[in-house]
Amino acid sequence: MDNPSTLLVAIMFVTVLAMAIGNTLMTCAEIAGGLRRPVPERLQLSWILLMLFALLNLFWETTALLEIEQWLFIEFLYVIAGPMILLFATSIITAPSQTEHSVESHDHYLELSGRFFLMLALHELWILGIDFWYASLTTISLISGAMMVIFVVLAFSNNLRIHVAGAWLIWSGYIISLVLRTVDATAAQ
């Protein structure tokens, strides 16, 4: 990494990711410490934990940026858009309820879900763009495409059963992607 622009891109990428990770961790700390009232419902908690997992995974992928020798400003803007989208998504899903009544937690979750899932669909589209631009489309790209479709469905659904099924499918997609990346990394060594 002899190119200073590569270092600058990586620093900005990590800085935006760190803000999103910090936002998510502070929400988790408030919940664990009993400071968040009402406590988000289990479905919303599942998405908050998934966001933390996705953010840490993207942080781990930062090393791929260091392999790029030359950067165009448009590439920088595109690459930095991914962490920015996740920062916006975490800000949406971690937003506290404005009411004290936990009975309305479903309402609060559904109020947030449209914007949250559109952000996640946009992030999956960003991942597909990165795969197309810098690498090649793989099985993991197909999983990202499927998750993008699921996120769009969730964005426009108010059915909690569909949201629960979507959470299971998305968690499964992230875990399968992680396993595939681990197998690929192990095979490359």
Side-chain angles (χ1 to χ4, degrees):
M1 182 189 65
D2 295 331
N3 188 348
S5 63
T6 298
L7 181 60
L8 292 174
V9 171
I11 289 171
M12 180 59 83
F13 192 87
V14 168
T15 300
V16 175
L17 273 176
M19 288 189 289
I21 291 168
N23 185 23
T24 308
L25 288 175
M26 289 306 297
T27 298
C28 291
E30 288 174 4
I31 293 166
L35 302 173
R36 177 74 61 115
R37 292 283 179 228
V39 174
E41 65 175 294
R42 282 182 272 165
L43 187 56
Q44 187 177 358
L45 283 172
S46 173
W47 290 114
I48 291 169
L49 292 175
L50 183 75
M51 288 304 305
L52 184 58
F53 179 76
L55 289 162
L56 293 172
N57 180 56
L58 191 56
F59 176 80
W60 190 252
E61 297 293 326
T62 302
T63 57
L65 296 175
L66 303 176
E67 297 173 8
I68 300 171
E69 295 294 324
Q70 289 292 94
W71 285 92
L72 298 173
F73 185 66
I74 191 75
E75 290 174 308
F76 163 73
L77 292 176
Y78 188 79
V79 166
I80 203 65
M84 290 171 66
I85 293 166
L86 287 183
L87 174 63
F88 297 154
T90 60
S91 293
I92 294 167
I93 198 64
T94 61
S97 176
Q98 301 301 317
T99 64
E100 289 292 323
H101 305 289
S102 60
V103 176
E104 299 172 6
S105 63
H106 290 311
D107 293 338
H108 176 64
Y109 167 76
L110 291 172
E111 188 179 296
L112 302 173
S113 68
R115 291 171 288 147
F116 174 67
F117 291 119
L118 284 177
M119 287 289 167
L120 292 183
L122 186 59
H123 185 261
E124 293 304 318
L125 182 62
W126 174 82
I127 289 173
L128 291 171
I130 291 288
D131 288 350
F132 182 75
W133 197 335
Y134 290 108
S136 61
L137 299 175
T138 64
T139 303
I140 296 172
S141 304
L142 292 174
I143 293 170
S144 287
M147 291 192 323
M148 181 179 67
V149 170
I150 293 168
F151 286 138
V152 169
V153 168
L154 292 174
F156 293 101
S157 173
N158 285 329
N159 184 321
L160 285 174
R161 288 185 181 175
I162 290 174
H163 281 259
V164 170
W168 279 102
L169 289 170
I170 296 299
W171 269 102
S172 299
Y174 269 101
I175 291 168
I176 291 167
S177 294
L178 178 64
V179 168
L180 291 174
R181 277 192 200 96
T182 303
V183 168
D184 288 347
T186 305
Q189 292 179 354

